[in-house]
Amino acid sequence: QVLKKTLSLSNTQKLELARIILKDLENKDIQLYFKNQELQKYVEDANWGGEVNSATSDYLMMVDANMGALKSDFYMKRSFEYTLDLSKDVPTANLKITYNHTAKEKDWMTKDYLSYLRIYVPKGSWLGEAKNVSEQKFGEELGKKYFGSLISVPLGQTKTIEFNYTLPKESAENYNLLIQKQSGISNLSGKVTIIGKDGSAKTYDINSQADWQMN
């Protein structure tokens, strides 16, 4: 029925539909996978497949998995602050993530938010300290290091968690940063501060519906 309706659209309507689909693909609200490897190569080249990027300098992806089985994500507002200091012998990173549970009362689809969070960072990174989290896990997969924790945010409350870690020394050479947006999340909202080797700092305000990259 969907295909039948799509084929019955006028050329103008088809063009508008194509624009909507393209925007959703670029914003990672839709992802594609083909068994046909030639088609899949086009998908991967366009960054429409959702794969973890192979960036080798600095990399960050924050991934929440709702463990509460309800629809509390609708009410969750997330933001982050990322500070990277290149003036030290080893690059040092500080990541703060703030969760704001905007729901005021429990109902059939909403309750306290419970998430399993994974932070993906460059392989060879080392977690020094984590604050306001529980049951910390860490390991390697997909060519990255990850730090994982359960996150609980009660109704109507705000919680900020914090990770302090070091990056591999080689990250400081020809430094660049890629932040991948979790698929299906409305936007990346936060602030990035990079402290250079000379101690000078540059700050970027981010409000992006797609991946964000700094060169």
Side-chain angles (χ1 to χ4, degrees):
Q1 290 300 314
V2 173
L3 180 60
K4 182 178 179 181
K5 185 172 182 179
T6 300
L7 294 174
S8 71
L9 297 175
S10 67
N11 289 336
T12 300
Q13 291 172 320
K14 288 177 181 177
L15 180 59
E16 180 59 26
L17 177 60
R19 287 174 177 153
I20 292 171
I21 292 174
L22 180 59
K23 182 178 179 182
D24 285 341
L25 284 166
E26 291 175 344
N27 293 346
K28 301 174 75 172
D29 293 327
I30 297 176
Q31 294 178 342
L32 302 177
Y33 172 76
F34 293 95
K35 291 184 179 180
N36 183 307
Q37 292 302 302
E38 185 176 352
L39 291 176
Q40 185 61 20
K41 181 64 166 54
Y42 286 117
V43 168
E44 292 173 358
D45 289 346
N47 196 29
W48 294 344
E51 65 275 6
V52 172
N53 192 283
S54 59
T56 55
S57 185
D58 196 3
Y59 174 90
L60 176 63
M61 182 163 67
M62 299 159 280
V63 181
D64 276 296
N66 188 338
M67 305 295 288
L70 297 179
K71 305 299 181 181
S72 303
D73 270 292
F74 177 81
Y75 295 99
M76 295 305 302
K77 305 298 180 185
R78 301 173 180 84
S79 62
F80 71 94
E81 292 184 23
Y82 180 67
T83 301
L84 192 282
D85 191 346
L86 296 170
S87 68
K88 300 179 179 180
D89 291 338
V90 177
T92 302
N94 173 266
L95 174 64
K96 296 177 182 176
I97 306 174
T98 298
Y99 295 83
N100 180 15
H101 197 331
T102 64
K104 302 303 181 184
E105 58 184 30
K106 183 177 179 180
D107 58 28
W108 67 272
M109 68 174 188
T110 309
K111 64 177 182 179
D112 294 346
Y113 184 64
L114 179 64
S115 168
Y116 179 66
L117 169 71
R118 270 193 174 178
I119 308 297
Y120 286 88
V121 297
K123 189 174 181 179
S125 298
W126 187 263
L127 178 62
E129 182 183 29
K131 298 179 181 179
N132 216 15
V133 299
S134 60
E135 300 184 33
Q136 300 169 39
K137 305 287 185 181
F138 56 87
E140 293 184 4
E141 66 176 11
L142 305 173
K144 306 295 180 186
K145 187 73 171 282
Y146 70 80
F147 313 133
S149 294
L150 284 172
I151 308 297
S152 178
V153 187
L155 282 161
Q157 295 189 27
T158 298
K159 175 179 283 189
T160 297
I161 63 173
E162 182 174 350
F163 294 89
N164 292 286
Y165 57 97
T166 58
L167 273 61
K169 291 187 70 172
E170 56 269 24
S171 299
E173 303 301 325
N174 301 314
Y175 180 82
N176 62 76
L177 169 65
L178 172 67
I179 302 178
Q180 277 200 274
K181 189 189 85 164
Q182 179 180 355
S183 303
I185 296 296
S186 59
N187 68 328
L188 277 172
S189 178
K191 181 180 294 186
V192 169
T193 299
I194 306 298
I195 301 172
K197 294 180 180 180
D198 61 357
S200 62
K202 188 170 184 179
T203 298
Y204 304 83
D205 290 312
I206 299 172
N207 188 12
S208 175
Q209 292 185 321
D211 297 344
W212 184 86
Q213 186 162 16
M214 184 214 75
N215 292 311

